[in-house]
Amino acid sequence: MSKPRVAVTMGDPAGVGPEIILKAVHALQGRMAAGELALAVTGGAAIFARTAATLGIANPLRPLAPGERLADVTEPCLVEVGSGSDAVATSEVSAAA
């Protein structure tokens, strides 16, 4: 049986999605390391880096390399989408989000 492959979208860059995703990835790292689960996340790298720093944890998401296939990923990876999302402030009402 093949391992489950899960893709998760970041959602609102100023919302709780990035925090929930990073905490879930940390909680699931053992299963991913054991080959029981593959995880891909879509969103902005700068948002996840800033959120990880705010939480005081390492950012476990590795950017997907050009030409790399999601089917070959063995660690949590980030599929970068959008641009300029690093300028969105969290915990503030903003039309930029």
Side-chain angles (χ1 to χ4, degrees):
M1 184 169 123
S2 65
K3 65 183 169 187
R5 298 182 190 283
V6 179
V8 180
T9 62
M10 176 179 72
D12 183 347
V16 298
E19 178 179 347
I20 291 170
I21 289 169
L22 288 174
K23 288 180 177 179
V25 170
H26 276 275
L28 294 170
Q29 280 186 324
R31 291 190 62 198
M32 287 183 273
E36 298 174 8
L37 175 68
L39 178 67
V41 176
T42 62
I47 294 291
F48 282 107
R50 183 175 67 207
T51 302
T54 299
L55 294 172
I57 60 175
N59 184 354
L61 301 174
R62 176 186 60 78
L64 191 67
E68 185 176 17
R69 294 172 4 115
L70 281 173
D72 299 330
V73 169
T74 59
E75 58 191 319
C77 71
L78 175 68
V79 179
E80 178 107 34
V81 295
S83 62
S85 61
D86 59 331
V88 177
T90 58
S91 303
E92 295 179 14
V93 176
S94 170

